[in-house]
Amino acid sequence: NERLASGMRAIPDAPTAALNTSASIARMIERVAADPTIDIDRMDRLFTFLERIKAAEAKEAFTVDFAAMQAELPSIDANGRIVHESKNQNEPAKLIAKYAKWEDINDAIKPILARHNFVLSFASEQPEGRVAVTAILRHTAGHEQTASLSLPLDTSGGKSNPHAIGSS
């Protein structure tokens, strides 16, 4: 078993058990739907129950694959540099910070995400004087998690709005 080899605890065929549960409930709903005496409220409750079970199964699959994926995620070199250029020619430029570049991060994590059934996307908006970015980590089973960051626009140095957004 791959999960045992990687040091994770064994989960007895979780995807198969989940499919059996969902399939059993779907068959039950089909039988109930064929009964003309069943009212719409009861059918609605059954569909709601099925949706809850599928959401729980999707979250479980997300969690299992996320745990396996974390073990493979690499440390990324800080190839980016923020340098303060001195206005005085006699003073050298100062390194203010190092950071990992998005292109380096993306190149390193993309195949790992795919191997573990994940896709990463981003959404952004510009509320008054700010830029907000939301990262969305989706799993093929349907569960997703989001994380958002809102920053003020970087208007230093007389940047235009598009440059201020990109700099933030």
Side-chain angles (χ1 to χ4, degrees), residues 40-59:
I40 254 331
D41 288 337
R42 183 178 240 175
M43 285 299 298
D44 187 47
R45 287 193 308 269
L46 284 172
F47 277 114
T48 300
F49 180 62
L50 179 60
E51 286 173 350
R52 280 197 337 246
I53 287 174
K54 285 185 174 189
E57 292 168 350
K59 188 173 183 178

Side-chain angles (χ1 to χ4, degrees), residues 12-131:
D13 254 349
T16 305
L19 288 174
N20 290 340
T21 302
S22 293
S24 297
I25 292 170
R27 284 192 299 274
M28 179 184 67
I29 289 173
E30 285 176 16
R31 286 192 306 273
V32 171
D35 183 347
T37 64
I38 299 299
D39 65 12
I40 254 331
D41 288 337
R42 183 178 240 175
M43 285 299 298
D44 187 47
R45 287 193 308 269
L46 284 172
F47 277 114
T48 300
F49 180 62
L50 179 60
E51 286 173 350
R52 280 197 337 246
I53 287 174
K54 285 185 174 189
E57 292 168 350
K59 188 173 183 178
E60 180 181 354
F62 179 103
T63 302
V64 168
D65 283 349
F66 189 80
M69 178 184 67
Q70 278 189 312
E72 289 185 41
L73 291 174
S75 294
I76 310 294
D77 291 336
N79 293 323
R81 307 262 189 273
I82 298 173
V83 176
H84 175 68
E85 298 290 337
S86 175
K87 293 183 183 188
N88 181 343
Q89 292 178 336
N90 297 329
E91 291 180 24
K94 275 193 214 172
L95 176 63
I96 295 177
K98 294 180 184 181
Y99 62 93
K101 293 180 179 180
W102 167 245
E103 16 335 330
D104 295 339
I105 296 169
N106 192 45
D107 288 348
I109 67 170
K110 204 169 172 181
I112 298 168
L113 289 169
R115 194 166 40 254
H116 291 281
N117 306 309
F118 289 101
V119 63
L120 180 63
S121 62
F122 298 91
S124 64
E125 54 187 45
Q126 289 89 39
E128 189 64 36
R130 299 186 73 76
V131 61

